[in-house]
Amino acid sequence: MNILVCIKQVPDTTEIKINPETNTLMREGVPSIVNTFDSYALELGVRLKEEHGGKVTVMSMGPDQAKAALKECLSVGADEAYLLSDRAFGGSDTLATSFILASFAEHLEKEKGKFDLILCGKQAIDGDTGQVGPEMAEHLDIAQVTYATDIKAEGNKTLVKRENDQGYDWIEVLSPAVITVTKSGFEPRYATLKSKIAANKAEIHVLDSQSINIDVEKCGLKGSPTKVKKSYTPKKENNGIIINEETASASVQKLMSLITDKKVI
Amino acid sequence: MEITNEMRDLGDLIEKYFKNEVDPVVAEYDAKGELPEKIYNDLIEMGLNLLAVPTEFDGLMVDHKTETYIAEILGRHDCGIASAIGVNTSACATMNFFGKDEQKKDFFGILTSGKLAGFCLTEPNAGSDSASVKTTAVLDGDEYVLNGTKCFITNGGIAGVYIVFASTDLSKGTKGLSAFYVESDREGLIIGKHEDKMGIRLSNTTQVIFEDCRIPKDHLIGEEGKGFKYAMKTLGTSRNFVGGMAVGLAQRAIDECVEYAKSRVQFGKPIAYKQGIQFMLADMQTQTAAARELTYHAADLIDKNGDYEMYVSMSKLFASDVAMKVTTDGVQIFGGYGYMKEYPMEKLMRDAKILQIYEGTNQIQRVVISNIMLSK
């Protein structure tokens, strides 16, 4: 299988703080990681490769430092890594980003042949929109399945286990397709010391807008219909009450008395 | 000491693994006194047994600074596991220094197939005094026949291959010692009792007994009679691993103490406000920082092939003494809770003690250091 995995380097949100004056993320000194859902997508891709043969290519868009994230991917099973880096892409919203990534994928296909599957995380943990993967599928005009927790390839069919509110569906999809992946039942593997050393020495192919021959009018701020008017930190509401009595019935009684005291019911 | 990006990259991987997979279960397996199979498999999968295996034999062969850095990280999380890796690295060092290419291929092949190595020098009556080694190796045709009992062997029950020091001439004391490598599945190699230890309880420590154990003649490493020299040369570099572990252990204890001192309230305030505690913390950190610099300096000297022997002994001696002092003070800062198994401090103190004893006692290190000083 010829698999492409799209990854994003994001700040580790478990350690992120917000500047209370400017309401922007304080990125300084915050470690960067591969977006968690993208790691699950990569793990699924590598498992498919291990079972059926083929190749896993990873690509990312971002500044030069995103090479570190791509190297991390190489250390856990990706075969080749491409970074798309250009100032013209700065300020892209999800529409522009998905257009750039779709063009990037099409460009890579000239070299690598058609991708059977393009895997993405269901969303990035910094932007949390969940739009880029599905929009990419639209730009490429191919099928898409979202919220995948497992993928099985059988002949030329691909079966995707899709999480929904009630449980899950198994969806059959024809290749090529974009599949966005959520947390699966298995954890992404650890690198080995050897694969780390090899990934450190590996070359990351860096491309820019010219090398993929993209219409820059549709990229960056110019290509982004979304305008951010204001960003702010929601006020923390600290007036919740935790009821934790010794028994469940005592907790319910306390809850009921609180509600009736306030004359809510 | 500069930590390079390459070092940090490897370190971060190990740190992440130990934080997620080892820390949560370490107290449980410390109580049981065993290394869980899953963790053993993961360590091998990660390649921690290949740190000192040359790249031409499919190993990693990291430099000593990197090795020390890894020892420090392992020491932070568990000195038992660190000991398993450290001893494996020592065994590799003997082979690297003195083995022939064919022997290396054979020996390192066992490691790359997913095994650890052990290092069999100590015997019930031969601790610091290697001249009292009673295990013998007698040449019989194309084979050596080994007889004797080795004790306190780290990885004893789990290693795939051992470096073994045995006497080929008992009348010559240390000058009769020779070095061999012996695969664990050789007939006549018997795993003896599993030792119930005070600390480093996740490491596997057993007797290794040889009863008419026959090995091919070509398993002799180097020349007959040079075994003691080889052992000293090996330990002369590999004991820096202990220095690294000790620094990691001490720093862990300090970090635990800082956190505890800020949260433990007595007399209406966190005990961190007490100057008595503050001064203890300051001394602990100062000593550990000094031990760290000494240990990395020794590693740097090995990498640069400088006069490292005295510095390696000083690093092992000083860092392990610091680890003992720091963990003892750590238990004191934790007070009654420090003495309880529910808290991490008592394990750190138990683990620290062995660092002053194995890989050459700290008394022997002082002998090494003063001998070098006085022979100039």
Side-chain angles (χ1 to χ4, degrees):
Chain A
M1 293 185 88
N2 196 11
I3 299 168
L4 176 68
V5 182
C6 308
I7 67 119
K8 183 181 185 185
Q9 187 182 47
V10 295
D12 190 344
T13 49
T14 54
E15 301 194 25
I16 202 92
K17 290 189 180 77
I18 290 170
N19 182 329
E21 279 164 25
T22 61
N23 282 316
T24 50
L25 299 181
M26 290 164 68
R27 287 175 190 263
E28 257 174 49
V30 178
S32 292
I33 55 168
V34 176
N35 177 43
T36 320
F37 296 112
D38 302 349
S39 299
Y40 284 104
L42 176 61
E43 179 64 29
L44 269 182
V46 173
R47 283 175 183 235
L48 283 169
K49 174 187 81 169
E50 284 168 350
E51 202 180 333
H52 303 284
K55 242 182 157 186
V56 174
T57 306
V58 277
M59 70 173 204
S60 187
M61 178 172 96
D64 201 58
Q65 63 169 31
K67 278 181 180 171
L70 287 166
K71 287 190 170 184
E72 173 73 27
C73 296
L74 289 175
S75 75
V76 288
D79 299 291
E80 262 196 292
Y82 290 83
L83 176 67
L84 188 60
S85 201
D86 201 309
R87 285 192 169 275
F89 300 150
S92 294
D93 67 0
T94 58
L95 184 70
T97 301
S98 58
F99 171 69
I100 297 164
L101 292 179
S103 309
F104 190 15
E106 279 175 330
H107 175 81
L108 290 179
E109 284 187 327
K110 287 179 202 156
E111 243 179 77
K112 317 243 135 231
K114 277 273 175 204
F115 292 113
D116 300 306
L117 293 177
I118 297 177
L119 307 180
C120 309
K122 70 157 179 166
Q123 67 195 54
I125 56 172
D126 57 349
D128 278 329
T129 67
Q131 294 167 357
V132 172
E135 287 177 6
M136 244 181 109
E138 291 302 313
H139 285 299
L140 292 166
D141 197 19
I142 59 176
Q144 59 170 290
V145 184
T146 52
Y147 299 99
T149 60
D150 200 2
I151 302 171
K152 284 198 172 93
E154 289 174 6
N156 57 358
K157 286 188 303 189
T158 303
L159 292 169
V160 184
K161 188 177 181 181
R162 183 180 64 178
E163 199 173 58
N164 62 35
D165 287 343
Q166 283 78 41
Y168 59 86
D169 310 306
W170 275 103
I171 294 177
E172 192 180 308
V173 65
L174 287 176
S175 296
V178 171
I179 299 170
T180 74
V181 177
T182 186
K183 192 177 181 333
S184 328
F186 42 78
E187 289 299 308
R189 69 195 61 194
Y190 287 98
T192 69
L193 296 174
K194 187 176 274 184
S195 68
K196 270 275 176 203
I197 292 171
N200 252 329
K201 291 181 185 158
E203 189 197 351
I204 306 288
H205 310 283
V206 184
L207 288 83
D208 60 12
S209 59
Q210 275 193 330
S211 45
I212 66 164
N213 198 17
I214 193 172
D215 180 1
V216 288
E217 292 300 312
K218 292 185 181 172
C219 307
L221 280 173
K222 279 186 249 168
S224 299
T226 317
K227 305 286 176 230
V228 178
K229 285 180 74 177
K230 183 187 172 193
S231 66
Y232 63 96
T233 317
K235 249 197 212 148
K236 264 198 177 162
E237 305 276 356
N238 272 337
N239 46 9
I241 299 167
I242 293 170
I243 301 170
N244 189 12
E245 299 303 298
E246 282 198 351
T247 63
S249 63
S251 293
V252 170
Q253 269 180 10
K254 177 141 191 213
L255 175 66
M256 288 311 292
S257 69
L258 281 169
I259 292 174
T260 46
D261 285 355
K262 297 251 174 194
K263 299 198 166 52
V264 182
I265 51 171
Chain B
M1 228 311 289
E2 189 211 0
I3 307 293
T4 64
N5 285 339
E6 286 77 12
M7 287 162 73
R8 198 173 297 285
D9 230 30
L10 299 182
D12 286 352
L13 167 64
I14 299 169
E15 175 73 30
K16 181 173 144 195
Y17 173 78
F18 273 75
K19 211 170 139 191
N20 292 341
E21 314 291 336
V22 178
D23 290 356
V25 296
V26 93
E28 178 191 342
Y29 287 97
D30 173 63
K32 285 185 184 163
E34 64 180 55
L35 177 67
E37 199 178 331
K38 186 195 173 291
I39 291 178
Y40 169 84
N41 289 337
D42 289 346
L43 300 177
I44 298 289
E45 176 71 29
M46 202 185 285
L48 277 168
N49 62 332
L50 306 179
L51 294 176
V53 174
T55 48
E56 61 261 45
F57 299 107
D58 225 16
L60 304 168
M61 201 45 122
V62 299
D63 60 21
H64 281 84
K65 252 185 349 200
T66 306
E67 193 178 290
T68 302
Y69 182 59
I70 290 174
E72 183 179 344
I73 294 169
L74 296 176
R76 259 190 90 79
H77 293 279
D78 182 64
C79 278
I81 294 174
S83 300
I85 301 305
V87 163
N88 176 82
T89 305
S90 303
C92 291
T94 307
M95 192 46 90
N96 277 320
F97 279 132
F98 308 107
K100 291 201 267 295
D101 269 358
E102 274 309 301
Q103 294 177 321
K104 287 181 185 173
K105 200 176 154 198
D106 199 17
F107 180 89
F108 292 131
I110 297 171
L111 269 60
T112 51
S113 78
K115 303 279 190 196
L116 285 166
F119 190 82
C120 303
L121 175 59
T122 303
E123 295 184 5
N125 293 313
S128 296
D129 176 17
S130 299
S132 297
V133 163
K134 291 282 176 286
T135 298
T136 55
V138 178
L139 192 60
D140 178 26
D142 284 340
E143 294 175 321
Y144 279 99
V145 185
L146 271 59
N147 276 292
T149 298
K150 296 288 178 182
C151 68
F152 309 154
I153 304 305
T154 305
N155 300 338
I158 55 175
V161 64
Y162 306 86
I163 297 287
V164 179
F165 294 89
S167 180
T168 39
D169 187 346
L170 281 173
S171 69
K172 288 189 180 160
T174 54
K175 290 196 170 130
L177 280 184
S178 303
F180 303 88
Y181 71 99
V182 185
E183 300 88 339
S184 60
D185 54 3
R186 289 270 167 203
E187 206 174 315
L189 187 153
I190 298 151
I191 311 301
K193 76 164 170 159
H194 184 112
E195 302 291 351
D196 191 9
K197 304 187 296 291
M198 170 183 179
I200 57 165
R201 289 176 57 81
L202 272 81
S203 68
N204 174 288
T205 311
T206 68
Q207 284 183 326
V208 176
I209 302 157
F210 300 95
E211 273 182 16
D212 289 331
C213 176
R214 289 180 169 269
I215 55 170
K217 197 167 76 173
D218 64 12
H219 280 32
L220 169 74
I221 299 168
E223 295 170 39
E224 272 194 16
K226 297 238 168 116
F228 182 71
K229 210 178 115 194
Y230 297 167
M232 291 307 107
K233 173 88 177 167
T234 298
L235 295 171
T237 57
S238 69
R239 59 172 58 115
N240 209 53
F241 203 94
V242 180
M245 283 164 62
V247 170
L249 175 76
Q251 191 62 54
R252 168 70 181 277
I254 293 168
D255 294 349
E256 296 283 354
C257 285
V258 167
E259 204 181 305
Y260 183 81
K262 287 202 276 193
S263 61
R264 170 70 171 167
V265 175
Q266 289 288 275
F267 307 105
K269 272 187 194 168
I271 59 169
Y273 282 95
K274 302 282 176 205
Q275 201 174 49
I277 300 289
Q278 291 167 356
F279 281 13
M280 278 171 91
L281 290 174
D283 285 344
M284 288 156 79
Q285 190 59 73
T286 305
Q287 289 157 1
T288 302
R292 181 179 284 113
E293 292 306 313
L294 183 55
T295 303
Y296 281 98
H297 179 62
D300 197 37
L301 283 175
I302 304 173
D303 284 334
K304 290 181 175 147
N305 207 15
D307 279 337
Y308 58 75
E309 202 189 346
M310 183 167 87
Y311 275 91
V312 171
S313 277
M314 294 195 302
S315 127
K316 192 272 179 187
L317 162 68
F318 185 67
S320 61
D321 280 354
V322 165
M324 194 68 244
K325 172 91 172 72
V326 163
T327 53
T328 308
D329 288 348
V331 171
Q332 195 68 26
I333 288 175
F334 270 66
Y337 292 111
Y339 202 69
M340 301 300 150
K341 284 193 188 284
E342 201 183 332
Y343 285 77
M345 281 311 302
E346 62 86 32
K347 172 182 182 284
L348 297 177
M349 185 177 166
R350 282 187 285 113
D351 284 355
K353 188 63 211 173
I354 192 62
L355 306 180
Q356 296 178 304
I357 298 171
Y358 70 3
E359 296 269 313
T361 62
N362 282 7
Q363 285 67 34
I364 289 291
Q365 303 313 319
R366 290 178 169 95
V367 171
V368 172
I369 295 162
S370 57
N371 277 350
I372 294 171
M373 291 165 68
L374 297 170
S375 68
K376 277 184 183 159

